[in-house]
Amino acid sequence: MARMTMIEAVRSAMDVSMERDDDVVVFGEDVGYFGGVFRCTQGLQAKYGKTRCFDAPISESGIVGTAIGMAAYGLKPCVEIQFADYMYPAYDQITQEAARIRYRSNGDFTCPIVLRMPTGGGIFGGQTHSQSPEALFTHVCGLKVVVPSNPYDAKGLLIASIEDPDPVMFLEPKRLYNGPFDGHHDRPVTPWSKHELGEVPEGHYSIPIGKAEIRRQGSAVTVIAYGTMVHVALAAAEEMGVDAEVIDLRSLLPLDLDTIVQSVTKTGRCVVVHEATLTSGYGAELAALVQEHCFYQLEAPIVRVTGWDTPYPHAQEWDYFPGPGRVGRALAEVMEA
Amino acid sequence: MARMTMIEAVRSAMDVSMERDDDVVVFGEDVGYFGGVFRCTQGLQAKYGKTRCFDAPISESGIVGTAIGMAAYGLKPCVEIQFADYMYPAYDQITQEAARIRYRSNGDFTCPIVLRMPTGGGIFGGQTHSQSPEALFTHVCGLKVVVPSNPYDAKGLLIASIEDPDPVMFLEPKRLYNGPFDGHHDRPVTPWSKHELGEVPEGHYSIPIGKAEIRRQGSAVTVIAYGTMVHVALAAAEEMGVDAEVIDLRSLLPLDLDTIVQSVTKTGRCVVVHEATLTSGYGAELAALVQEHCFYQLEAPIVRVTGWDTPYPHAQEWDYFPGPGRVGRALAEVMEA
Amino acid sequence: MIEFPQLSLHVPEPAVRPGGQPDFSNVNIAKAGSVPRPEVDAASEDIRDLAYSIIRVLNRDGEAVGPWAGLLSDEELLTGLRHMMKLRAFDARMLMAQRQGKTSFYMQHLGEEAVSCAFRKALRKGDMNFPTYRQAGLLIADDYPMVEMMNQIFSNEKDPLRGRQLPIMYSSKEHGFFTISGNLATQYVQAVGWAMASAIKNDTKIAAAWIGDGSTAESDFHSALVFASTYKAPVILNIVNNQWAISTFQGIARGGSGTFAARGLGFGIPALRVDGNDYLAVYAVSLWATERARRNLGPTLIEYVTYRVGGHSSSDDPSAYRPKTESEAWPLGDPVLRLKKHLIVRGVWSEERHVQAEAEILDEVIQAQKEAETHGTLHAGGKPSVRDIFEGVYAEMPPHIRRQRQKAGY
Amino acid sequence: MIEFPQLSLHVPEPAVRPGGQPDFSNVNIAKAGSVPRPEVDAASEDIRDLAYSIIRVLNRDGEAVGPWAGLLSDEELLTGLRHMMKLRAFDARMLMAQRQGKTSFYMQHLGEEAVSCAFRKALRKGDMNFPTYRQAGLLIADDYPMVEMMNQIFSNEKDPLRGRQLPIMYSSKEHGFFTISGNLATQYVQAVGWAMASAIKNDTKIAAAWIGDGSTAESDFHSALVFASTYKAPVILNIVNNQWAISTFQGIARGGSGTFAARGLGFGIPALRVDGNDYLAVYAVSLWATERARRNLGPTLIEYVTYRVGGHSSSDDPSAYRPKTESEAWPLGDPVLRLKKHLIVRGVWSEERHVQAEAEILDEVIQAQKEAETHGTLHAGGKPSVRDIFEGVYAEMPPHIRRQRQKAGY
Ligand SMILES: Cc1ncc(C[n+]2csc(CCOP(=O)(O)OP(=O)(O)O)c2C)c(N)n1
Ligand SMILES: Cc1ncc(C[n+]2csc(CCOP(=O)(O)OP(=O)(O)O)c2C)c(N)n1
Ligand SMILES: [Mg+2]
Ligand SMILES: [Mg+2]
């Protein structure tokens, strides 16, 4: 098995998919000749030709709009939005079109598209290169929302997304591209090659959308996380010496509620972590569901640890980012309650 | 005091504001000569001239984009989005621009704009004339989100919104335009002229943004609602004979958390009602906050009664709409738990 | 330093408002037959004039004249007339059904029948339209069953869209008719994507995008032109300029550009303007554009100059914003009457046969309606199921929607 | 029925890629002085040619020639040269500071200095720019203090934006410089709104919108042109065509239109193309356009033809997608060298004075940097407070943000 970074894993997923299925096409801003600003599509144009992997004009609505048309024709477009922060011009096409074409045509037309988008902060990208807009997708029925936390999952989930008959928002935590970042920004980064989930098969495999994974078994408290926050949560649990069970959701919509309910039923305590702003973030939905389904098992209020309700600041990045310190304090708070 | 429908109240708010302040301008699709498809701006062009009230091209992004520019100049634009369902092309301007201009310029520039938009279903408008996108705004820091439930509030809150120094999303539940609709679609509609909150002063007054109102005192269960659902909740409480306290939020962001916490602390039970789809709806945030702040007072899981997680269907409108039957059953469920 | 005077805002207004005399003297109408017909591989910069003129075939005397004439046989023209008459009769009946409460909403084509009916003739099986709500002629002229359309309009138990969509928001892949969106303009760029896909797959099918004059202001119009221009997509970019967008006259969307067709010029896309009430002209121009697309020469933009005679929709009363008699003053006449006259001049039609055809068509529509009504109307008879709310959000129903369906009792 | 061949997708490509010989022979460059100068009230349809040509003043010999010449005094030109040199020196230092880790990010103007520096000269106090990240010349040429710019770049304790914004995303209402957005094109339509407001208030101020060639593909570009055209807003719509958008050459955004200026023609907006590396030409065209706006004649679109010599940003290495020597082959030369030569030809400047000026300017920049650094750099010294994260989201801090600030310990 090969060692891959998350970038390589994502690239490999597209490569494998394009190889197997002529209908898979890849396009977006700078993805063609150059291979994308994060180099995720590097080499694909050379290998599959410029009508299957090409540069698009800087028009996110045009990219998604044409992808929808291609999908209606019968292709399977897997497009890149350069940063999740730039998906907003396409929000109309995503939510009013892609999400509802199957429904409104009663299956006469469908929309199997994937929108890949680098997400989250931690790279001093300021308010326009750091956003985590997942909750703006989870409120929209008809979409699927996937957030991998490691190379192995990234590849398996991306292949599953490309093969999925419905539109999938594929959010790639850019701070994880090169290693399992745990929020300790002042320490050297471990590369994926040193992590077991950096072991990625070269060929085809897929991971079902809608299944969470328990990254750490524990019995004292359940931490629900996804993307970068999985690694932050693991670090916090270790550092606090709390017997936490850490769930990596992987897919937010559909959600693996069973795994969550089982865990919280066991632990009686729950912390939800995400990088997006607090109010109306996906953590709200998770907290609402947990209290609904585990009310009688809960021994303490569910605590949310999230980005603050402010834009993502540039200089004060590490005071904004919900790092292991804040998650650790939340664990302590929940355990004491 | 005059009797006004909600349409007249909204119109009166704009009239009073334009009269008092030359910097208030009103524009949008069909709002000029014709006075808007719901007639909310009727007469304003004749009274204030066509450079203060005018028709805009069908471009929601252009409408909001130019409004932002006007606000940067020093005007106070109050624009109409013909249906909330059509705000999506402007979502980028709303969330990435209007919401952040004050913050990113450290107050050098500001964005005092109001976006009025008819919201919600109940008029057989299908999936593109029925949406309730409030949660897509409440997740965006920098915006304020207001939803009135009656003519008196509509006028006072709209005046406050126009006078507010920050961008306000003003969602007008269109099913309430002509009367306090309680979800009994098979019964004749009571007009606002028969309702005490249809009494509206003709002159200037304002209602502070961020203060909820208790519409019905009760001690057994707290129902949190806004817009049309306030009337549905009141009907359900009456019909079930449950001693419910019904809170009309009026403003979702900022939220009057104190009123909610006080009420749930008293009742120990809570039902949240909205018309938008369930997952990641604003009800999730409310449930998350209530369990966080009232955990030890809660005697039953918080129940959410909402639109289903599907597009708003045309023919099955009344099976989708969370009417008094469904709210009533939720009250019973919570009381029995 | 020069002192400049105070600025003032220019807000365009229509020539006349209710109470005024309709006036179309500002509409510059080329004589029938006067506009040249370039080769389909003409360079866009050599045919810029076509964006500012109006291609017309039928003259006042009902004769077909000029270089764009002569493409259709008697038979084909008779069929075309029948399509337009059918659409008109269908519209009248459905508008009435709406007034009777059998459906919630309706949108008619009165005065614009030639546009979609004649365009459809230039397409082939497998081509795809991305229509707005005002191109039902594409279905009628492709013999899509009227009963199906009505089932959709009535949201009844046989509604192919199971009650989910607003009336008239049809969908038929088989008939090359993409599912209509209630959101304006979104489909315009999707059409370009569909056409790009056909080119990527080295297929021979082409796409047609549709938009109204008012909706060209939307952003997706721009995206469509950008992508079509860059990738030379085999797509026809249709703009139906029926002079109005609800209460807003075309000047608000058009601004200072003179014509909507001119928008194409900024993209190097050949742009033609055509008399949208002239069945022959619409067909001729459509055929020219489709041939360009099929020969991989890229997109063509067509502006159809027509007039919306009826209200915007069943919710609209145009007398609030334009003179009641404005439609009578419209200088391009009525598409049905003009083709009828041409066929009479051609000697293959008569007043009597027209009256008879009208009766036959009405009967056909009434029969279809009767059949549709046996399956229910919006508030009576057979309905789609509540289950249908929950199905089809995804290919496979996820657990949370299943839970909700159960909660709803289904 | 005719059989048509298989379609295929056209994907535009630049003439050369890394390893190839730079080739700009396809760039059609008008002779300096050859393009006529119409009256500012010319009708847009009478000056369409200006969208396909290039207005130039400085010829190869450094002389100012033709109808667009003769507007600036020696003094003014010397100041202009100094502005461009200052911008260039500033860029060089700040790029170095970025490499040294004093800031996270930088974007330079190398090769494009004339555009923003000369345009600023055509504006008056109170006018408002809606710039992109590549118009810092608007600040430099308006004598905005370099120390302030550096404080912002270093996100230090004196950063006027309190560390909230990416480096170089300046804001200065006082200097007519709207807060820069990281989202492309959004500001283009806001500029039109600002100009409309000025017209609504019968003011005399005008606005300038700025966009890059690649970003014209964004939807807001269209909204801007629609609104500017309809309401005849007093706004200058600037397109800086520096040939590249990150790795994507201008052909991807431009498609088949020939030029970006041509986009204006579809809206009836007068559109001019100008040699963006010619300070005199940029100024002359800017003045023409601002006068049009001030006389309430409506918007003008200007395409500045220039070349991005450096990387897109400090994160970019252009040698991955274009020949390393491409910038040397760029036929319009270097704006600083061209103005320098002109001033020498004019007899008011010399090589020696230039070298001396360079040294003076470098010193000035270094002094400013020293001062700025006493207030801190991104990772060292004085910083904005954590409190600053929470302030300014709203005019008044709502309770939930106050709670969060407290939670953060501030
Ligand atoms: C995004 C969006 N904005 C607004 C509307 C409301 N609306 C529906 S039709 C219409 C007018 C469209 O006019 P035009 O494009 O000229 O088409 P026509 O109705 O004349 O065929 C408007 C404003 C909508 N459906 N979608
Ligand atoms: C909405 C949006 N999409 C994508 C980006 C990423 N991006 C930043 S600059 C850039 C290229 C812009 O090129 P151009 O408009 O030519 O301006 P230039 O950098 O050449 O001055 C891209 C794609 C962005 N900032 N915003
Ligand atoms: Mg129209
Ligand atoms: Mg560029």
Side-chain angles (χ1 to χ4, degrees), chain C residues 212-214 240-246 308:
Chain C
D213 50 305
V240 183
N241 175 3
N242 63 5
Q243 314 299 317
W244 290 92
I246 311 190
R308 192 197 79 209

Coordinates of all heavy atoms in Angstrom, one line a residue, chain C residues 212-214 240-246 308, ligand 3:
Chain C
G212 N -36.3 35.0 -20.7 CA -37.1 36.1 -21.0 C -36.3 37.4 -21.0 O -35.2 37.4 -20.5
D213 N -36.8 38.4 -21.7 CA -36.1 39.7 -21.7 C -35.7 40.2 -20.3 O -34.6 40.6 -20.1 CB -37.0 40.8 -22.4 CG -38.4 40.9 -21.9 OD1 -39.1 39.9 -21.8 OD2 -38.8 42.0 -21.4
G214 N -36.7 40.2 -19.4 CA -36.4 40.7 -18.1 C -35.3 39.9 -17.4 O -34.4 40.4 -16.7
V240 N -36.5 35.5 -25.4 CA -37.8 35.9 -25.8 C -38.1 37.2 -25.3 O -38.4 37.4 -24.1 CB -38.9 34.8 -25.4 CG1 -40.2 35.2 -25.9 CG2 -38.5 33.4 -25.8
N241 N -38.1 38.2 -26.1 CA -38.4 39.6 -25.7 C -39.8 39.9 -26.0 O -40.2 40.3 -27.1 CB -37.5 40.6 -26.5 CG -37.8 42.0 -26.1 OD1 -38.7 42.3 -25.3 ND2 -37.2 42.9 -26.8
N242 N -40.6 39.7 -25.0 CA -42.1 39.9 -25.1 C -42.4 41.3 -24.5 O -43.6 41.5 -24.1 CB -42.9 38.8 -24.5 CG -42.7 38.6 -23.0 OD1 -41.9 39.5 -22.4 ND2 -43.2 37.6 -22.4
Q243 N -41.5 42.1 -24.4 CA -41.6 43.5 -24.0 C -41.8 43.8 -22.5 O -41.6 44.9 -22.0 CB -42.8 44.2 -24.8 CG -42.8 44.0 -26.3 CD -41.5 44.5 -27.0 OE1 -41.0 45.6 -26.7 NE2 -40.9 43.7 -27.8
W244 N -42.3 42.8 -21.8 CA -42.6 43.0 -20.4 C -42.0 41.9 -19.5 O -41.9 40.7 -19.9 CB -44.1 43.0 -20.2 CG -44.7 44.3 -20.7 CD1 -45.2 44.5 -22.0 CD2 -44.8 45.6 -20.1 NE1 -45.6 45.8 -22.2 CE2 -45.4 46.5 -21.0 CE3 -44.4 46.1 -18.8 CZ2 -45.6 47.8 -20.7 CZ3 -44.7 47.4 -18.5 CH2 -45.3 48.2 -19.5
A245 N -41.7 42.3 -18.3 CA -41.3 41.3 -17.2 C -42.3 41.7 -16.0 O -42.0 42.6 -15.3 CB -39.9 41.5 -16.8
I246 N -43.3 40.9 -15.8 CA -44.4 41.3 -14.9 C -44.7 42.8 -15.3 O -45.0 43.1 -16.4 CB -44.1 41.1 -13.4 CG1 -43.6 39.6 -13.2 CG2 -45.3 41.2 -12.6 CD1 -43.4 39.1 -11.8
R308 N -46.2 40.1 -25.1 CA -47.0 39.2 -24.2 C -48.4 39.9 -24.1 O -48.6 40.9 -23.4 CB -46.3 39.3 -22.8 CG -46.9 38.2 -21.8 CD -46.5 38.6 -20.4 NE -47.4 39.6 -19.8 CZ -47.0 40.5 -18.9 NH1 -45.8 40.5 -18.4 NH2 -47.9 41.4 -18.5
Ligands
MG3 MG -40.7 39.3 -20.8

